[in-house]
């Protein structure tokens, strides 16, 4: 991978399952530009870029890779490519709604109000009217002002993948969600994440941009601008990450209609 500097720090690592990860370290303020450049070349190179804080060795060296052998990887990649991602995404929303009503809501709560967070038809009338153009999203962790990581450098890592939605299957700990911790029956798998990311990519042009620990950012090329579309996106975002999307109405009027979706799991 060529960069503007011949002395740029680069690294290569391979997981136990044989997934190769290449990386180049870049100044934080250049990370988005480098990512955009290589995203534009993906059709020719086959390598998907993502921004992170760590070199490829950190993406490939974790205790779970020992069980993630080449045969398991092949099965999961095949299922990710063939699964009905819309149906799987819908089941995640239904499961999240059931969990919220049964485990989180109090007996005195308005259950219809709880359900509206996950039902776009109920949520849409609560949102603001359609906007003419997407809200300009700002990266919080890759390049943006909330740089609590206290690092001036970022890594742009590359994985051979069909698209960004395949990266969580190839590198199952590229980032971690609350659901993956296995609490109750809401444990999410890399295939669940892949289904949601693929759906969001096909419907709204969302692309995996930044992934690190429990932080995820997507660049969204054509976010929904009307209340119904924004309600659909907000409901799915809340089902996936209620730690960040704790107010579906607010998310439907802001994040869902913006060009960057920033999620964080507590």
């Amino acid at each position: 991978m060529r960069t503007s500097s011949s002395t740029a720090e680069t690294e290569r690592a391979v997981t136990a399952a044989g997934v190769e990860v290449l990386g180049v370290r870049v100044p934080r303020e250049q990370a988005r530009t480098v990512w955009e450049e290589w995203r534009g070349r993906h059709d020719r190179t086959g390598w998907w870029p993502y921004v992170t804080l760590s070199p490829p060795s950190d993406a490939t060296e974790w205790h779970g890779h020992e069980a993630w052998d080449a045969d398991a990887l092949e099965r999961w990649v095949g299922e990710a490519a063939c699964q009905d991602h819309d149906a799987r995404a819908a089941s995640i929303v239904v499961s999240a709604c059931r969990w919220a009503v049964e485990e989180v809501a109090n007996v005195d709560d308005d259950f219809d109000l709880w359900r509206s967070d996950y039902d776009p038809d109920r949520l849409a009338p609560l949102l603001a009217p359609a906007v003419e153009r997407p809200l300009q999203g700002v990266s919080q962790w890759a390049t943006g002002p909330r740089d609590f990581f206290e690092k001036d450098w970022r890594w742009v890592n590359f994985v051979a993948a069909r698209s960004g939605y395949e990266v969580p299957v190839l590198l199952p700990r590229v980032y971690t969600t609350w659901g993956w911790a296995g609490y109750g029956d809401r444990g999410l798998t890399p295939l669940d994440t892949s289904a949601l990311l693929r759906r969001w990519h096909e419907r709204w042009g969302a692309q995996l941009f930044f992934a690190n620990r429990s932080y995820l950012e997507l660049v969204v090329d054509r976010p929904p601008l009307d209340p119904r579309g924004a309600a659909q996106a907000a409901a799915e975002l809340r089902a996936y990450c209620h730690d960040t999307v704790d107010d579906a109405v607010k998310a439907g009027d802001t994040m869902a209609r913006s060009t960057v979706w920033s999620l964080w799991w507590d």
Side-chain angles (χ1 to χ4, degrees):
M1 301 293 177
R2 289 185 303 169
T3 66
S4 59
S5 173
S6 60
T7 60
E9 182 178 351
T10 61
E11 185 178 288
R12 172 185 178 273
V14 182
T15 71
V19 177
E20 184 179 19
V21 184
L22 307 177
V24 59
R25 197 176 74 142
V26 301
R28 182 187 64 187
E29 62 272 13
Q30 295 180 15
R32 174 68 181 266
T33 300
V34 174
W35 178 83
E36 291 279 11
E37 177 184 355
W38 286 98
R39 181 180 73 150
R41 299 181 184 182
H42 174 260
D43 287 345
R44 300 192 300 271
T45 67
W47 292 88
W48 186 263
Y50 69 92
V51 181
T52 187
L53 299 181
S54 304
S57 55
D58 282 8
T60 59
E61 295 176 1
W62 64 280
H63 66 278
H65 279 305
E66 289 78 5
W68 201 259
D69 60 22
D71 290 339
L73 176 67
E74 184 176 359
R75 290 194 303 272
W76 280 57
V77 169
E79 187 172 345
C82 298
Q83 68 180 341
D84 185 335
H85 47 280
D86 287 330
R88 192 162 195 148
S91 72
I92 293 169
V93 175
V94 171
S95 296
C97 179
R98 182 180 299 116
W99 174 83
V101 171
E102 294 177 356
E103 302 294 334
V104 179
N106 296 317
V107 293
D108 296 329
D109 285 350
D110 183 341
F111 290 120
D112 285 340
L113 186 59
W114 271 95
R115 293 188 183 96
S116 69
D117 286 350
Y118 303 93
D119 184 342
D121 291 329
R122 299 186 187 203
L123 181 59
L126 305 177
L127 302 186
V131 296
E132 294 184 358
R133 59 183 60 87
L135 304 178
Q136 189 61 43
V138 176
S139 170
Q140 296 189 46
W141 304 300
T143 61
R146 288 188 56 186
D147 184 29
F148 49 83
F149 296 115
E150 298 179 353
K151 291 185 178 182
D152 292 329
W153 295 86
R154 295 289 182 267
W155 282 85
V156 180
N157 290 349
F158 300 83
V159 183
R162 293 182 180 89
S163 186
Y165 63 77
E166 199 173 56
V167 174
V169 176
L170 296 168
L171 300 174
R173 291 291 180 180
V174 67
Y175 67 96
T176 56
T177 71
W178 180 90
W180 291 12
Y183 294 105
D185 61 355
R186 288 199 65 236
L188 296 173
T189 72
L191 287 172
D192 292 325
T193 284
S194 179
L196 283 168
L197 294 187
R198 185 173 181 181
R199 172 177 165 75
W200 296 343
H201 166 61
E202 293 182 356
R203 187 154 189 179
W204 297 301
Q207 300 277 19
L208 180 69
F209 169 49
F210 177 85
N212 195 86
R213 300 176 186 170
S214 57
Y215 301 89
L216 171 69
E217 284 188 330
L218 306 175
V219 168
V220 188
D221 292 336
R222 49 180 192 280
L225 306 182
D226 63 292
R228 183 57 178 75
Q232 184 70 51
E236 294 177 13
L237 286 165
R238 176 156 172 74
Y240 186 49
C241 184
H242 67 85
D243 288 322
T244 300
V245 186
D246 59 352
D247 185 330
V249 174
K250 180 179 179 181
D253 287 339
T254 55
M255 182 192 297
R257 305 189 200 202
S258 76
T259 57
V260 176
W261 293 355
S262 297
L263 303 175
W264 170 65
W265 288 263
D266 190 359

